[in-house]
Amino acid sequence: MLEASFLNLSDRPAADAAVSVWPAWKVRDGGGATVWFGVRLEFGDGARVDAVAVVSEGCVSIEDVRAEPALSLDDLASLADWIEGPLSEACGIGTGPDADGGEDGEDAEGGAGAGAGRVRSGWPRGVEGQWLIAQKYRAAQEAGTDPVLAVMSATGHSRRRSLRLIGQARDAGFLTPRRARR
């Protein structure tokens, strides 16, 4: 039986987990559709996380999460990293003919359509990508728009991942530090 009070996803190796995703139901509305998926993350020691994900207009969100043992807030934040790949594959996001490792935005029907999500067209990684993120961030600030949304739009990543990329650009010295270090 499980003895830990929290699941501690960050301490667990990915090889110890099995992620399964299945379509739960679909509702057509006008020209699009909203699709719900069941997601289960299971570990060999009996620990388990069940979630309900919703895909609508090319966006994926999590509606419900249940875990045994409970998730800490850090675990909840890292849950997306554990289920992102299998959920994207099941949703049909990034499985098109020009997919580059599961990163193209497509709708829940499996093809690029009117509700297609953002498309990542070979965004560079490493220092070059960090520099470009800093450029997008600064341009949005100067234009008076939300810099995080500008990075999200440019990279096609979620808000959480875009914030992480912005942090990496700060750490690399391309953006000013968020707060003074003591």
Side-chain angles (χ1 to χ4, degrees):
M1 191 69 189
L2 298 170
E3 297 177 15
S5 60
F6 289 109
L7 191 56
N8 293 324
L9 287 176
S10 58
D11 296 339
R12 294 176 178 259
D16 290 350
V19 181
S20 51
V21 179
W22 62 94
W25 62 93
K26 177 188 247 179
V27 175
R28 295 199 181 274
D29 50 358
T34 301
V35 184
W36 285 262
F37 290 87
V39 181
R40 177 168 286 162
L41 175 62
E42 291 182 289
F43 294 92
D45 63 356
R48 180 176 90 218
V49 179
D50 291 313
V52 176
V54 182
V55 178
S56 179
E57 297 179 3
C59 297
V60 179
S61 61
I62 302 296
E63 261 192 12
D64 185 38
V65 176
R66 295 174 190 248
E68 181 66 36
L71 291 174
S72 67
L73 289 177
D74 290 336
D75 288 344
L76 187 59
S78 65
L79 178 62
D81 295 333
W82 282 84
I83 65 174
E84 180 179 27
L87 182 58
S88 295
E89 187 176 315
C91 294
I93 297 173
T95 58
D98 58 346
D100 57 349
E103 297 191 347
D104 288 335
E106 294 188 359
D107 65 13
E109 300 290 321
R118 295 173 301 265
V119 177
R120 290 179 222 148
S121 56
W123 189 264
R125 297 179 187 267
V127 175
E128 184 183 358
Q130 293 168 351
W131 183 81
L132 288 171
I133 285 168
Q135 296 301 313
K136 293 286 184 188
Y137 188 92
R138 277 196 225 103
Q141 276 184 324
E142 291 171 5
T145 60
D146 186 348
V148 177
L149 285 178
V151 171
M152 289 171 60
S153 195
T155 63
H157 286 297
S158 68
R159 182 172 187 82
R160 181 172 175 246
R161 182 141 312 156
S162 294
L163 287 169
R164 187 178 297 163
L165 292 171
I166 292 166
Q168 291 171 354
R170 284 188 197 287
D171 292 344
F174 295 119
L175 292 170
T176 57
R178 188 77 174 137
R179 59 185 82 79
R181 297 189 181 199
R182 298 176 187 185

